[in-house]
Amino acid sequence: MAEDPHHPGSPTTGVGDPAVAALDTAAVVVWLCLAVLYLAAGRAAALRGRDALPLRHSIAWLSGTALGLAVTAGPLAHAAATSSTGHMAVHLVLGMVVPLLLVLGAPATVLLRAVPARVGRAYSRLVRAPALRLLAHPVPAMLLATVPMALLYWDGAGFALLHHPALGPLLHVHFVVSGTLFTYAVVGVDPHPHRAPARVGAGALVVSIAVHGVVAKHLYAVADRDGLPPDTEQAAQLMYYGGDMAHALLLVVFCAQVYRESGRRFRRADRSTEAERCPA
């Protein structure tokens, strides 16, 4: 298989390449299945007489699956296989934007409305398992999302992994899974039996922003090293500014949730005070 002159060892992405066609097909199947299963669960919940969730949840989930499909199959995915800047764009979308949209889709809530009570109880026992409780905590979830990213991009040495025919797609899976876990731990709208206090989520979010910025700046500083792709500097800039934009979206959602929850607490406190002043 021929090599790209700017990315030694990276495969070409010709339309007739069977490996490329297989990866595209797998990506299409996965994202379409996620969209169809979500819609099917919503329909099943309606048939069971459950109230429909607000339309914004469906829009968020379907937008996330559509965006994930757009960057993992077709021209954008092919560009990412031969361009560090293209890969960085895919990384930002899969690791930050798509997870936020998927989490805002409230998939667990949709599932619980669609299944019998015994399945819901089994799900509740599952999410209370110690391992899942640990992964859904903001600090471990943040480490899972940032530490591999820092090792991969710190000095550009990991760029070769991005173009590996097997490890490249696995990295995409890691971006989505780790990003979704972290986003759920910080701003998840689904039931969370052991949600950490808002201050813990805020701290994890601030550390995540700091790590992302430091790694991007360091990658920019070493971009002129021999052996690195010629567009490493552009990739580092995209990582820095694009990461800030994605984190800004996450911060907006986080602050909106904290504001709403604070309002609920104040209203409950006001009602309690009023009840004490005017006993029945």
Side-chain angles (χ1 to χ4, degrees), residues 138-205:
V139 174
M142 180 270 296
L143 293 175
L144 183 64
T146 57
V147 172
M149 178 270 298
L151 294 175
L152 183 65
Y153 296 123
W154 183 250
D155 59 1
F159 274 117
L161 298 176
L162 309 177
H163 310 299
H164 192 279
L167 295 180
L170 289 178
L171 284 172
H172 287 170
V173 173
H174 167 75
F175 292 153
V176 175
V177 173
S178 62
T180 301
L181 276 173
F182 177 60
T183 305
Y184 170 70
V186 175
V187 299
V189 296
D190 278 321
H192 194 321
H194 302 285
R195 188 175 300 279
R199 63 181 180 274
V200 177
L205 187 52

Side-chain angles (χ1 to χ4, degrees), residues 50 61 78 87 89 106 145 234:
R50 304 295 176 86
W61 180 271
H78 300 169
H87 165 80
Q234 290 78 11

Side-chain angles (χ1 to χ4, degrees), residues 38 41 53 61 102-103 105-115 120 123 127 184 189-192:
Y38 185 92
L53 287 177
W61 180 271
L102 295 182
V103 167
T109 301
V110 174
L111 173 66
L112 292 174
R113 288 167 175 253
V115 298
Y123 171 82
V127 297
Y184 170 70
V189 296
D190 278 321
H192 194 321

